[in-house]
């Protein structure tokens, strides 16, 4: 059984940084991507970043490029999301996800089979 546990959320002022981590266990062979998604109140869940666990290739949403960095230690073990230059619009619940994904579908939440409970990120102006 796959378990994903996020940590590292919190409150920060605009321009600040936060580092989120996702501890994964029970990851099976059908998982080749780990990703981060976020959902703000009243909005749909959106992809933030993902990493292919076997090759370490990273993918970012346009809003995350240049500000956020996804990384992993041992593949399928721990995934981090370093967030710099945070903006109030980054305020959301951030979720870690694991899935069997094609590179061109990494942003589609439906391709991920396992999700963490989420960690709240609040950025004040």
């Amino acid at each position: 059984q796959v378990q994903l546990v996020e940590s590292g959320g919190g409150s920060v002022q605009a321009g600040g940084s936060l580092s989120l981590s996702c501890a994964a266990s029970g990851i099976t062979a059908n998982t080749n991507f780990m990703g981060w998604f976020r959902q703000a109140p009243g909005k749909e869940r959106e992809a933030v970043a993902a990493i292919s666990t076997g090759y370490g290739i990273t993918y970012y949403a346009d809003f995350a490029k240049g500000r956020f960095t996804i990384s992993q230690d041992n593949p399928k073990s721990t995934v981090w999301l370093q967030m710099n230059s945070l903006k109030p619009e980054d305020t959301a619940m951030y979720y870690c996800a694991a899935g069997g994904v094609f590179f061109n579908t990494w942003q589609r939440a439906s391709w991920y089979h396992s999700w963490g409970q989420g960690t709240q990120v609040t950025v004040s102006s």
Side-chain angles (χ1 to χ4, degrees):
Q1 182 177 354
V2 177
Q3 287 192 323
L4 303 174
V5 180
E6 304 99 333
S7 61
S11 298
V12 65
Q13 289 191 327
S17 299
L18 282 174
S19 181
L20 307 183
S21 66
C22 173
S25 61
I27 296 293
T28 57
N30 66 343
T31 297
N32 65 340
F33 266 68
M34 298 288 290
W36 287 95
F37 287 73
R38 70 183 188 184
Q39 188 167 20
K43 295 187 177 181
E44 294 187 354
R45 188 169 297 191
E46 63 178 350
V48 178
I51 186 167
S52 63
T53 57
Y55 298 98
I57 300 172
T58 57
Y59 303 82
Y60 296 94
D62 286 343
F63 65 81
K65 291 177 181 177
R67 298 191 300 130
F68 295 0
T69 303
I70 188 171
S71 61
Q72 63 180 3
D73 57 357
N74 295 321
K76 305 182 184 181
S77 175
T78 305
V79 176
W80 287 277
L81 183 68
Q82 176 66 40
M83 305 186 293
N84 299 325
S85 302
L86 284 163
K87 306 174 181 179
E89 51 263 43
D90 294 318
T91 295
M93 186 72 78
Y94 283 70
Y95 298 90
C96 178
V101 182
F102 292 106
F103 75 95
N104 59 344
T105 62
W106 73 269
Q107 293 178 296
R108 300 182 189 175
S110 59
W111 282 86
Y112 293 79
H113 53 67
S114 300
W115 294 82
Q117 317 99 298
T119 185
Q120 178 67 37
V121 171
T122 303
V123 185
S124 58
S125 57

